[in-house]
Amino acid sequence: MSTTSNILKKLDGMLIINGKLVAAERSDEKIKNPATGELVGMVGVSTAKEVDAAVNAARGAFLKWGKSLPKNRTRYLHRIGELIEEDSESLAEILTMEQGKPLKEAHGEILKLAETFHFYAEEAVRINGETIPNDSLHFDSIVIREPIGVVAAITPWNYPAELVGWKLCAALAAGCTIVVKPAEITPFTALAIGWKCTQAALPPGVVNVVTGSGSEVGQALVENKLIDKIAFTGSSEVGLRIQKSATSIKKMSLELGGNCPLIVTANANIDDAVKGAIRRSFRNCGQICIAINRIYVDHTKYNEFITKLASLTKSLVVANGLNNPEADLGAIASEDSLNKTKKHLEDALIKGARLVAGGSRPVGTELQNGRYFLPTVLVDCNHEMDIMKEETFGPIVGVSKFSELSKALKMANDTPYGLAAYVFSKNIDEIKYLSSNLDYGNVAVNNVDAGIINAPYGGRKQSGIGYEHGREGMLEYTNFKHIRTKFTSLDGG
Ligand code: NAP
Ligand code: MG
């Protein structure tokens, strides 16, 4: 097992190209711990030459990997999953140091990453084809699936391990090779995953990691003609830019932003709804694409709901996630998230919302150098307020009341996004009505965990195209091939 500081030292200023850790020509970019402002390490700013070297390595490796036996790929994926489990504590510390989330959540994320390796290890041997009836008995049509080729994975900073893992594992299982470009502020988790791949003696070039800014390194991958597919998770704005700026035809999956509603009906268990709202609004400081941004509560339950929500919110512990095991919320990873949280708060207050919890930085000298904000609840919100219309991606939620369920549904669907929606109700007719009519890729009822690794996960409208998770997530990395063969009959028919 490796210690955290040893791993960080090993990865400092490095890229992963063609199976090796190589020192980036330029590595003057500082990664700072959002909880303390302390330096975590220096990271490479990949040059065009280094990006090309990574893509060429992936291209070269694809020739063999794409034709390798699926059971061979299964073995590698299981092995990498095991190596990640063995070092899960150190990897979790690295994740918390660069991202800020509480260590127990980071550890959970690393274990889910390992689970993703094992899940896709099993799926690799289940890429089946079909035989298709023809209009003559002398023809056979078979449809097989082949790997797409070289994938560029471009990922954000909120789940630095899982969002790399979903792409990398599914791509490798399908027989693709990959170049990963993680978010500029959380590169070490991705580098650590790439390093685990080298430790598993994965053939050189199958997994490469380049670091640097999205506008340069990410864009260079988008414009590279040797890349066959872009697997992107990030904002809708950058997703659209990527779609517009590709210079050759490429497959794309775009997992984009959300603005997710929760509807609490008159027949909901209010304590469960409050607990769900807390978990999905404030976990990871609200920096979750499927975070609950806005809540609609039946008018008969409104006062009970907001009183309990405010009280439970005030009991949450905001602390340095690395050294305080009690932390419910750690530091906020990105300056942009903090600024948008403050902006949405100010906008809602001007337009008449009431603040019932949070609304400021936590007090205390211990947290003074970090990027912190108290979990914040605004009530009496309406759709004039940005908080009810835009993704905040911070620790704040807006609550509004309704008197007719059809109006709550209309407000919930009144958004360009379509990633996830939540419902709390104990009435089967309400559940049927809402789950059928919410225009979202994922609907969670009486729970707030909308995604599981076994089921397809994706957004609609401006929340993206394509799916991750499940068998479907792997098949996104395959092309169909139809092979139609004519036979000469030997039986005179
Ligand atoms: P972002 O600003 O869109 O960045 C995502 C990634 O794209 C980063 O690696 C970024 O690099 C890179 N990038 C930026 N400009 C680029 C360009 N012109 N060409 C190629 N790549 C470029 O998103 P973020 O701020 O990191 O993450 C927050 C967003 O992600 C939220 O909107 C959230 O909803 C969304 N998200 C969606 C899902 C989902 O499954 N649907 C999951 C998680 C997050 P730099 O870091 O260097 O800028
Ligand atoms: Mg960004």
Side-chain angles (χ1 to χ4, degrees):
M1 289 211 299
S2 321
T3 64
T4 307
S5 59
N6 277 347
I7 301 177
L8 277 173
K9 219 182 280 166
K10 196 181 275 292
L11 300 178
D12 203 78
M14 292 292 175
L15 308 174
I16 297 178
I17 299 178
N18 209 21
K20 289 198 188 77
L21 284 169
V22 293
E25 280 174 33
R26 223 190 104 192
S27 61
D28 50 5
E29 191 79 18
K30 289 185 178 135
I31 302 302
K32 289 191 180 157
N33 184 334
T36 58
E38 284 161 6
L39 187 71
V40 179
M42 304 298 284
V43 70
V45 182
S46 308
T47 61
K49 209 171 101 201
E50 287 164 333
V51 172
D52 283 347
V55 175
N56 287 332
R59 194 82 251 159
F62 176 64
L63 295 174
K64 272 199 169 167
W65 185 255
K67 301 240 181 260
S68 65
L69 275 180
K71 69 176 184 188
N72 215 17
R73 306 203 288 265
T74 296
R75 268 191 228 117
Y76 280 114
L77 286 166
H78 274 314
R79 180 74 193 119
I80 302 165
E82 285 158 9
L83 289 170
I84 288 170
E85 276 153 4
E86 280 167 23
D87 262 347
S88 63
E89 280 168 21
S90 294
L91 297 183
E93 278 181 6
I94 291 171
L95 202 166
T96 290
M97 284 164 83
E98 63 181 3
Q99 203 274 349
K101 70 178 66 177
L103 193 56
K104 58 178 187 278
E105 284 178 31
H107 194 239
E109 184 178 342
I110 296 294
L111 293 182
K112 280 175 96 179
L113 169 72
E115 188 190 334
T116 305
F117 274 91
H118 296 308
F119 178 83
Y120 282 113
E122 298 296 326
E123 285 298 317
V125 290
R126 299 198 189 109
I127 305 177
N128 306 325
E130 269 190 300
T131 58
I132 311 286
N134 266 263
D135 49 11
S136 150
L137 292 175
H138 300 302
F139 287 88
D140 265 1
S141 275
I142 61 168
V143 176
I144 61 168
R145 288 182 183 266
E146 294 183 332
I148 280 178
V150 177
V151 175
I154 303 177
T155 54
W157 42 260
N158 58 335
Y159 282 85
E162 281 191 275
L163 290 171
V164 169
W166 298 348
K167 297 166 184 59
L168 189 151
C169 300
L172 263 56
C176 294
T177 58
I178 197 163
V179 180
V180 179
K181 201 303 280 178
E184 201 173 9
I185 59 175
T186 56
F188 285 112
T189 305
L191 284 165
I193 297 168
W195 169 61
K196 287 289 156 197
C197 295
T198 66
Q199 282 193 325
L202 194 68
V206 172
V207 170
N208 307 272
V209 183
V210 291
T211 56
S213 79
S215 52
E216 280 178 50
V217 180
Q219 195 65 45
L221 289 169
V222 171
E223 291 175 16
N224 192 307
K225 294 195 167 56
L226 296 180
I227 300 277
D228 302 294
K229 166 163 175 149
I230 303 286
F232 172 78
T233 300
S235 57
S236 299
E237 187 195 351
V238 173
L240 183 61
R241 190 175 321 145
I242 286 177
Q243 206 175 39
K244 282 183 176 168
S245 63
T247 52
S248 59
I249 303 298
K250 290 176 174 27
K251 279 232 184 191
M252 286 197 187
S253 25
L254 305 171
E255 301 289 344
L256 308 176
N259 178 19
C260 307
L262 159 64
I263 298 178
V264 181
T265 77
N267 295 300
N269 177 319
I270 296 300
D271 290 332
D272 288 353
V274 167
K275 271 189 227 137
I278 292 275
R279 176 174 168 87
R280 198 45 74 225
S281 296
F282 300 131
R283 196 173 166 81
N284 202 11
C285 287
Q287 303 163 121
I288 310 188
C289 52
I290 56 166
I292 293 172
N293 286 231
R294 49 199 175 106
I295 304 176
Y296 305 95
V297 186
D298 185 274
H299 65 113
T300 58
K301 296 289 169 74
Y302 188 68
N303 284 341
E304 181 189 354
F305 181 87
I306 60 176
T307 308
K308 288 180 170 170
L309 182 66
S311 148
L312 205 55
T313 301
K314 286 179 194 160
S315 72
L316 296 173
V317 177
V318 180
N320 182 337
L322 196 61
N323 56 27
N324 187 339
E326 300 301 310
D328 294 301
L329 287 85
I332 296 182
S334 142
E335 192 71 40
D336 290 350
S337 286
L338 178 60
N339 291 339
K340 204 157 179 204
T341 303
K342 290 181 187 162
K343 199 171 139 264
H344 281 183
L345 171 64
E346 205 175 302
D347 170 80
L349 289 176
I350 289 170
K351 292 174 183 164
R354 273 191 300 130
L355 178 68
V356 295
S360 63
R361 276 183 66 90
V363 286
T365 48
E366 195 200 321
L367 304 182
Q368 70 184 3
N369 295 326
R371 201 181 290 124
Y372 291 99
F373 204 76
L374 290 172
T376 299
V377 179
L378 290 163
V379 301
D380 302 347
C381 294
N382 60 49
H383 275 221
E384 298 300 305
M385 300 169 186
D386 290 344
I387 187 153
M388 303 302 272
K389 294 186 297 192
E390 291 178 13
E391 179 183 50
T392 316
F393 227 59
I396 186 166
V397 67
V399 192
S400 173
K401 77 173 130 186
F402 68 85
S403 46
E404 282 168 48
L405 201 54
S406 61
K407 289 203 175 128
L409 175 68
K410 198 164 170 233
M411 285 189 288
N413 281 336
D414 178 23
T415 171
Y417 295 106
L419 191 54
Y422 304 87
V423 173
F424 274 83
S425 169
K426 291 289 184 191
N427 176 302
I428 54 166
D429 298 329
E430 286 177 351
I431 292 173
K432 178 73 180 160
Y433 170 69
L434 292 173
S435 57
S436 315
N437 289 298
L438 282 163
D439 193 7
Y440 289 83
N442 309 274
V443 178
V445 181
N446 292 328
N447 79 91
V448 292
D449 294 295
I452 56 167
I453 190 67
N454 310 45
Y457 164 81
R460 298 180 176 180
K461 296 156 64 179
Q462 298 309 299
S463 291
I465 46 171
Y467 294 88
E468 294 194 299
H469 288 193
R471 176 175 166 70
E472 294 80 359
M474 177 181 65
L475 298 181
E476 293 268 335
Y477 294 90
T478 62
N479 279 328
F480 285 121
K481 182 184 273 177
H482 174 202
I483 305 171
R484 187 163 184 257
T485 309
K486 183 179 180 190
F487 301 97
T488 303
S489 169
L490 297 183
D491 60 11

